[in-house]
Amino acid sequence: MSNPVINVAEIFGSNVFSDKVMKERLPKAVYKSFKKSIDEGKQLTMDVANVIANSMKDWAIEKGATHYTHWFQPLTGITAEKHDAFISPVGDGEIVLEFSGKQLIQGEPDASSFPSGGLRATFEARGYTAWDPTVPAFVKDNAVGDVTLFIPTAFYSYTGVALDKKIPLLRSIDAVSKQALRVLKALGNTTSRKVVATLGPEQEYFLVDKKLFMQRLDLQLTGRTLFGAASPKGQELEDQYFGTIKDNVSAFMADLDAEMWKLGIFSKTRHNEVAPAQFENAPVFSMLNTAVDHNQLTMELMQKIALRHDLVCLLHEKPYRGINGSGKHNNWSLATDDGLNLLEPGDNPHDNMQFLAFLAGVIRAVDRHADMLRGGCATAGQDHRLGANEAPPAIISVYLGDMLGEIFEKLGKGEKYSSKGKEFTNVGVDTLPSFPKDNSDRNRTSPFAFTGNKFEFRMVGSAMSCAGPMLILNTAVAESFDEIAGRLEKSKDIKAEVAAILKDVFRENSKIVFNGNNYSAEWEKEAAKRGLPNVKNSVDAHKALITPKAESILTKYGVLSKEELHSRYEIYIETYSKVINIEANTAINMAGTMFIPAAIKYATKLADSISKVKAAGVSAAAQEGILKTVSTLLETAVKKLKAVVDAKEKASNISEAVKKAECYRDDVFTAYTSLRDEIDALEAIVPANIWPVPTYADLLFKL
Ligand code: ADP
Ligand code: MG
């Protein structure tokens, strides 16, 4: 099977109703008025909307579209779409294809079945979608040739309460942009008009053979393996990372790239990741809002396209025990409309007031709101990564690297930093170039690392929407920039004020800076001494989202009202309980109908063998030994299975949401995790041809 040759330049953005397309197709005045309203953040007039809608419809129909949909991001963390055909009946059995400005701008899906976290009572199931004109509409085609026009929208109640992930994200982008611009202006910048947040999300994922996946109920229903003895080979040879990409995986990746490019997503990097059967895709960064939409599309495409290749894409944070899980490194920075990166240190970071002011602001924000940043990354899936001896740890810290770390310390203590000049790396081979050293080295263990000219927030989980974690980061940083801007605006000597800010941040917030190995046991002790939060499970981590501190900052910057915030918290907590309940149900099903019967079958075989062998007058000691082991494991497994059922019963009888979630965490989760010990031990004894599901070796290496 080979992929047809594709012309990247030709297909890139071909399914996007882009600025270029609009410019070509819209009357000049309409295009101008559209651009103006985006630029000034004003609403479109209905006349303009009608013309745009019509043009969009014609363009989409040329692409083969029959339907349009308002595409939105409810609090499930995934996207939602309801398709409507363009047809509109006229006269006797006739139709015309129609799409009006009103249909473009606003929709009214039935909101009653989306999670609303208590908001439902106040909005009576009525929800509206509104076109987000800051990101382009696009058409999506699929393998069966069905084409639909997608209109990115925000989703809110009739009282104006945000029911989605996009609205608060946009509000947080606004907040951080405004405060960053204030700092910039106070520092004397006269050219920039706007600041935007940027994001480049690196998406990790696993692939598994579809036939094998279909034999694993746990993978199908929970996205991870609830059982499975370790494979004889894991990732210890370190031969997967950046390894040669197999042809079938390559075919998938080529397809994925092509589909991403058609949607105007800057898919750039693809490689094998650390674990067997684990991979990564990374786009070139873009505006944060667009990047979040694009990442949602990327996750969707990965899952769809894998199926075309008889593969299944696993986005879960920890599909397999004992080998690396998957994250989504969120590379984040701030840029101006005239092309400045506010986190660019330049050649002399110690002298770069602008860089130092922004750096100090981010360090302070992360230190003050480490608990919220952690809370925003928490899910049941993430519990297997964060704090579970895995990358990255549950403790938030900031990595600056040696040089910046030293600058921060020296300036923070009011001492002089003398530049060592540009250092060069030389490998000692004349034909190889020597090159200037980076300002920051790589530190793969840090959850929040400065990487050259951006921060890389590595705690985000692979299955999550980036919107939640980014919203918290933006807001935390907005608060700290607000403070810095206030000081700078009042100051007569900007340089002295930046120096004073650095000293304050060093004194108050440098406990968050850590350049060492975040995976070490010593760090955990050291972090405790520093008083850094180290919350190892999501039920507790989420609590940071509803503290008075969290409420105060999120409401102050207009990102989430108290009501909106609590609704999200409630959804997180309820979702946790639901996920654990599904895992428990699946574990009960698999243990009860697959593993225990398989072990009984083997025990019966052994018993048969023992009586036959003995009848032949020979010792059956070996079989007896194995039978004893199998029987003991079986007995315990049956008891533990009962314990899972009981724990579930106990949890289901608790009505208070947090107590319920705590019971799911402490009783239910631990019960089926404990059951796994016996089942995995049985897997190691029961003959492969009797074991009812594919093993870890199958799942990880038969790709
Ligand atoms: P890695 O962490 O694997 O070494 P790279 O350094 O190549 O990855 O880049 C990771 C991501 O960071 C890419 O998506 C890249 O586009 C993004 N990135 C680079 N500069 C910025 C920036 N200013 N703002 C946001 N993301 C950025
Ligand atoms: Mg990275």
Side-chain angles (χ1 to χ4, degrees):
M1 190 175 63
S2 69
N3 283 303
V5 176
I6 56 164
N7 182 334
V8 181
E10 207 165 89
I11 65 164
F12 188 84
S14 59
N15 280 354
V16 183
F17 194 68
S18 61
D19 190 58
K20 190 167 154 247
V21 175
M22 286 180 119
K23 205 169 180 174
E24 274 166 20
R25 299 180 79 113
L26 292 174
K28 243 196 187 111
V30 171
Y31 175 76
K32 259 195 169 157
S33 134
F34 171 75
K35 292 298 277 184
K36 192 159 174 259
S37 65
I38 300 267
D39 220 35
E40 295 171 1
K42 298 217 173 83
Q43 290 193 5
L44 292 172
T45 64
M46 201 43 90
D47 286 346
V48 169
N50 276 326
V51 180
I52 296 176
N54 200 48
S55 164
M56 221 182 239
K57 177 205 69 187
D58 290 343
W59 171 83
I61 289 173
E62 282 167 34
K63 297 265 167 208
T66 51
H67 290 70
Y68 71 92
T69 181
H70 274 200
W71 182 63
F72 58 104
Q73 303 179 20
L75 298 174
T76 50
I78 53 174
T79 61
E81 55 194 77
K82 181 185 85 178
H83 300 192
D84 278 303
F86 289 120
I87 65 160
S88 173
V90 280
D92 203 12
E94 302 288 314
I95 55 122
V96 287
L97 299 181
E98 251 180 17
F99 187 50
S100 68
K102 190 165 173 286
Q103 286 166 317
L104 167 64
I105 288 181
Q106 203 184 61
E108 193 192 331
D110 178 5
S112 58
S113 294
F114 291 108
S116 76
L119 291 174
R120 189 168 299 145
T122 54
F123 78 92
E124 297 168 346
R126 199 172 278 261
Y128 295 94
T129 48
W131 179 32
D132 170 12
T134 61
V135 286
F138 53 91
V139 293
K140 247 172 53 182
D141 48 10
N142 56 21
V144 294
D146 188 36
V147 184
T148 300
L149 168 66
F150 275 66
I151 297 148
T153 59
F155 181 47
Y156 57 97
S157 78
Y158 86 112
T159 51
V161 174
L163 297 174
D164 71 351
K165 293 203 170 253
K166 189 189 261 283
I167 295 171
L169 179 71
L170 291 173
R171 293 172 181 159
S172 77
I173 293 172
D174 243 25
V176 73
S177 303
K178 268 192 196 122
Q179 300 305 336
L181 190 63
R182 266 182 73 205
V183 174
L184 201 57
K185 292 295 163 196
L187 288 166
N189 171 303
T190 53
T191 51
S192 307
R193 286 167 50 236
K194 223 168 130 176
V195 173
V196 295
T198 53
L199 170 66
E202 303 166 49
Q203 178 73 49
E204 292 180 337
Y205 60 97
F206 280 84
L207 291 175
V208 60
D209 183 304
K210 190 174 153 204
K211 283 191 303 299
L212 301 173
F213 171 89
M214 287 305 181
Q215 297 168 54
R216 297 271 330 198
L217 194 68
D218 46 4
L219 282 180
Q220 288 170 53
L221 300 186
T222 73
R224 74 179 184 100
T225 50
L226 299 174
F227 300 97
S231 161
K233 181 190 175 200
Q235 62 189 44
E236 63 273 46
L237 291 181
E238 298 175 334
D239 52 355
Q240 159 79 3
Y241 190 58
F242 286 7
T244 310
I245 302 170
K246 287 183 180 172
D247 283 354
N248 60 338
V249 174
S250 204
F252 157 79
M253 287 177 169
D255 245 8
L256 175 65
D257 277 335
E259 293 300 331
M260 287 172 76
W261 290 332
K262 280 200 225 163
L263 291 176
I265 306 172
F266 303 121
S267 180
K268 175 89 174 166
T269 308
R270 57 191 194 191
H271 62 81
N272 286 4
E273 255 302 330
V274 169
Q278 191 188 29
F279 309 92
E280 179 180 299
N281 170 284
V284 177
F285 71 95
S286 55
M287 305 245 288
L288 207 164
N289 180 28
T290 311
V292 171
D293 282 7
H294 281 176
N295 179 251
Q296 292 286 359
L297 288 171
T298 301
M299 290 194 284
E300 223 179 278
L301 285 173
M302 282 177 166
Q303 300 187 75
K304 272 197 176 176
I305 292 166
L307 293 174
R308 290 188 208 163
H309 294 267
D310 293 320
L311 299 167
V312 175
C313 170
L314 305 175
L315 292 173
H316 194 284
E317 282 82 9
K318 193 79 175 175
Y320 305 106
R321 180 190 269 184
I323 58 171
N324 272 27
S326 297
K328 175 148 51 198
H329 297 174
N330 276 213
N331 294 271
W332 171 95
S333 189
L334 295 159
T336 63
D337 57 325
D338 52 346
L340 296 175
N341 177 351
L342 301 183
L343 292 175
E344 173 56 56
D347 287 339
N348 294 304
H350 60 288
D351 261 347
N352 185 340
M353 287 304 112
Q354 182 176 309
F355 170 69
L356 291 171
F358 285 112
L359 180 74
V362 177
I363 293 172
R364 167 159 284 179
V366 176
D367 180 43
R368 277 195 185 152
H369 301 295
D371 60 336
M372 283 171 69
L373 287 164
R374 164 73 180 94
C377 287
T379 62
Q382 285 276 77
D383 280 2
H384 301 279
R385 277 179 88 217
L386 306 178
N389 220 355
E390 238 278 35
I395 310 161
I396 300 238
S397 67
V398 175
Y399 171 80
L400 293 178
D402 290 342
M403 181 185 171
L404 267 190
E406 198 185 328
I407 292 175
F408 179 58
E409 185 172 343
K410 283 263 177 0
L411 301 184
K413 288 179 175 162
E415 294 166 14
K416 252 195 124 45
Y417 174 85
S418 40
S419 168
K420 299 185 181 72
K422 204 72 186 153
E423 287 182 50
F424 283 81
T425 301
N426 196 325
V427 290
V429 178
D430 288 345
T431 48
L432 294 177
S434 66
F435 45 86
K437 268 190 183 163
D438 255 335
N439 285 335
S440 66
D441 198 0
R442 298 272 162 177
N443 176 325
R444 294 280 164 200
T445 67
S446 175
F448 201 91
F450 186 75
T451 48
N453 58 6
K454 62 188 188 287
F455 275 100
E456 186 169 338
F457 187 19
R458 302 197 178 118
M459 202 177 252
V460 184
S462 50
M464 300 175 67
S465 160
C466 304
M470 286 293 100
L471 162 165
I472 291 170
L473 179 61
N474 289 338
T475 314
V477 172
E479 178 198 52
S480 137
F481 285 179
D482 185 359
E483 220 177 270
I484 291 176
R487 286 178 67 166
L488 293 173
E489 282 161 0
K490 273 194 243 121
S491 159
K492 299 230 160 36
D493 182 346
I494 294 296
K495 220 171 161 172
E497 193 59 38
V498 172
I501 290 168
L502 272 169
K503 274 197 214 165
D504 291 346
V505 171
F506 184 76
R507 192 181 56 248
E508 289 163 28
N509 310 106
S510 61
K511 64 177 185 297
I512 199 75
V513 176
F514 179 62
N515 281 339
N517 178 6
N518 283 259
Y519 297 177
S520 68
E522 295 83 65
W523 169 233
E524 203 165 342
K525 279 190 216 127
E526 165 69 17
K529 252 194 251 156
R530 294 188 190 186
L532 299 179
N534 180 8
V535 185
K536 295 193 174 190
N537 69 80
S538 54
V539 180
D540 287 341
H542 286 315
K543 291 175 184 160
L545 300 177
I546 49 158
T547 59
K549 175 174 78 98
E551 262 179 39
S552 134
I553 154 171
L554 288 161
T555 52
K556 177 171 180 196
Y557 293 95
V559 174
L560 286 168
S561 69
K562 196 172 162 188
E563 186 192 21
E564 288 169 337
L565 177 59
H566 280 262
S567 73
R568 277 144 186 88
Y569 172 72
E570 241 176 72
I571 291 171
Y572 283 144
I573 294 290
E574 277 175 13
T575 304
Y576 177 85
S577 294
K578 288 176 188 166
V579 168
I580 301 300
N581 192 54
I582 294 168
E583 290 195 346
N585 288 338
T586 310
I588 292 169
N589 182 302
M590 289 178 83
T593 69
M594 296 177 192
F595 302 130
I596 291 174
I600 292 174
K601 193 168 172 187
Y602 183 41
T604 313
K605 274 196 169 186
L606 284 168
D608 279 353
S609 162
I610 290 166
S611 44
K612 281 184 188 147
V613 167
K614 275 190 171 163
V618 190
S619 157
Q623 288 93 320
E624 280 170 352
I626 301 173
L627 179 58
K628 200 154 176 235
T629 312
V630 171
S631 298
T632 313
L633 287 169
L634 255 175
E635 214 178 303
T636 317
V638 169
K639 268 189 210 138
K640 285 188 173 180
L641 178 58
K642 168 87 171 38
V644 183
V645 175
D646 291 346
K648 227 171 64 81
E649 172 81 15
K650 180 177 165 196
S652 69
N653 285 329
I654 302 174
S655 52
E656 200 278 314
V658 177
K659 291 224 161 62
K660 192 187 194 85
E662 284 167 351
C663 181
Y664 270 110
R665 177 194 64 196
D666 298 335
D667 297 344
V668 183
F669 176 79
T670 43
Y672 61 81
T673 305
S674 171
L675 169 62
R676 180 174 183 161
D677 295 343
E678 277 65 34
I679 303 296
D680 287 2
L682 283 166
E683 183 186 327
I685 307 172
V686 174
N689 62 356
I690 296 182
W691 199 247
V693 300
T695 64
Y696 265 33
D698 295 331
L699 298 168
L700 291 169
F701 293 99
K702 284 190 184 165
L703 193 65

